[in-house]
Amino acid sequence: MTKTAWLFPGQGSQHPEMMADLLTAYPPAKERCEQAAAVLGWSVIDCCAGRVGNLDQTLYTQPSLFIVESLLVDALKERGAKADFVAGHSLGEYAALYAAEVFDFTTGLKLVQRRAELMNAAGDGKMVALIGFDREQLQEAIASTPNVVLANDNHPGQVVISGLPAAVDAVLGKIKVKRAVPLNVSGAFHSPLMAEAAATFATLLEECTFHEAIFPVLNNVEPEPTTDAAVIKARLRSQMTGSVRWVETCHALAAAGVTHALEIGPGTVLAGLVKRTTPEINVTSVATMASLESLV
């Protein structure tokens, strides 16, 4: 029996046209955007059009992606689609939890908004994507250098390190790497340096009601499927300081018998990561209503 996973991309997959198709082809989109604007104080439609904020700034990126991905989830469910597992990459985990009905849209949006505010305000950190390296050499360099961690384990040949700028540079000086790409972020995301922000975020998280997931969820910090609301909340509490274990997520999905996945959201970043890690899982992009309608 074919098993399907729904995967949700995170920050970096956004683009100005990502709302356009939904606004013209999915009637509930406009009302959802109005609902979101009442919470956020700004319109995702105006943000994508360049009239408000900056879509590539964390403060605006994260809520905008959550809104787009939640709309695609609703459209899929309205057409009877179901998942065997859900997972999201960093911010995408919030859309995965919405898909699994762990929380409603407004709760998810408020969490994402606060997360974005805290991450946007973070400072004194640096993140660099590494492509083409010796993993053992990298692990040894990180282990011998304080204040730097492996933040994103994206696929066997690509990771992101995160930490204090001097520590990140020290690691780069200890290893051979084909390509090192500094990320345009405000802080050392997915590292212990986010502890203060994570503690502040935990206060809001504790006030939110989480429900048992209708689809098993694989969390970033612990890619072991669960539907338990308390476990999911505990894992989410650790997400801001913990690593995104995407390679392990892909292997866990394959081990569970997943052969097909939908990348729900703009772009095809996750399709590339899955292909390089578990090529036996075929990934289909669901970024527009046209692509969605062709599946269901």
Side-chain angles (χ1 to χ4, degrees):
M1 181 179 176
T2 301
K3 290 185 178 181
T4 300
W6 289 1
L7 308 178
F8 298 87
Q11 197 163 346
S13 59
Q14 72 279 358
H15 62 80
E17 298 300 317
M18 66 182 184
M19 275 296 310
D21 173 77
L22 286 165
L23 288 171
T24 58
Y26 187 50
K30 185 176 179 181
E31 182 180 352
R32 172 64 56 83
C33 290
E34 291 173 352
Q35 179 187 359
V39 174
L40 299 170
W42 51 270
S43 165
V44 63
I45 298 173
D46 289 341
C47 185
C48 287
R51 294 189 293 267
V52 171
N54 179 350
L55 183 61
D56 292 327
Q57 184 182 2
T58 297
L59 193 64
Y60 296 94
T61 307
Q62 296 190 7
S64 297
L65 282 171
F66 178 75
I67 293 165
V68 169
E69 292 174 11
S70 73
L71 284 166
L72 291 168
V73 164
D74 290 351
L76 279 166
K77 288 185 176 181
E78 286 172 8
R79 288 153 179 77
K82 296 181 179 180
D84 293 289
F85 301 94
V86 295
H89 191 284
S90 191
L91 168 72
E93 187 166 303
Y94 288 81
L97 296 181
Y98 172 76
E101 299 182 15
V102 172
F103 44 60
D104 61 22
F105 172 74
T106 299
T107 298
L109 183 62
K110 288 179 178 178
L111 285 170
V112 168
Q113 180 186 31
R114 187 60 177 141
R115 180 184 191 267
E117 290 170 347
L118 290 166
M119 294 178 78
N120 189 67
D124 299 325
K126 183 175 183 177
M127 299 182 75
V128 177
L130 308 181
I131 302 166
F133 55 88
D134 182 278
R135 187 167 287 258
E136 184 176 345
Q137 183 188 50
L138 175 63
Q139 289 172 337
E140 290 176 356
I142 290 174
S144 64
T145 310
N147 298 314
V148 62
V149 297
L150 182 67
N152 295 8
D153 192 5
N154 288 330
H155 71 69
Q158 189 211 84
V159 300
V160 175
I161 59 175
S162 178
L164 291 177
V168 171
D169 291 341
V171 167
L172 294 176
K174 296 177 181 179
I175 65 172
K176 292 182 179 179
V177 58
K178 184 177 181 180
R179 190 177 175 204
V181 183
L183 303 186
N184 184 23
V185 295
S186 56
F189 302 162
H190 296 293
S191 84
L193 296 176
M194 296 297 294
E196 185 176 344
T200 301
F201 182 71
T203 302
L204 174 60
L205 194 60
E206 290 309 311
E207 296 173 355
C208 296
T209 299
F210 277 33
H211 305 284
E212 299 294 296
I214 64 168
F215 308 134
V217 178
L218 287 80
N219 301 92
N220 287 183
V221 299
E222 184 54 63
E224 179 71 26
T226 184
T227 58
D228 187 286
V231 171
I232 291 170
K233 181 179 280 192
R235 291 176 177 176
L236 196 62
R237 192 181 300 118
S238 302
Q239 197 220 48
M240 202 178 288
T241 56
S243 298
V244 178
R245 296 160 59 184
W246 195 252
V247 169
E248 291 176 70
T249 298
C250 292
H251 285 304
L253 290 171
V258 170
T259 56
H260 187 233
L262 303 182
E263 180 171 0
I264 303 172
T268 57
V269 171
L270 298 186
L273 301 185
V274 173
K275 182 179 181 179
R276 289 170 174 78
T277 307
T278 46
E280 64 269 34
I281 299 178
N282 179 56
V283 184
T284 301
S285 172
V286 180
T288 64
M289 289 301 296
S291 60
L292 186 151
E293 295 286 8
S294 69
L295 292 172
V296 295

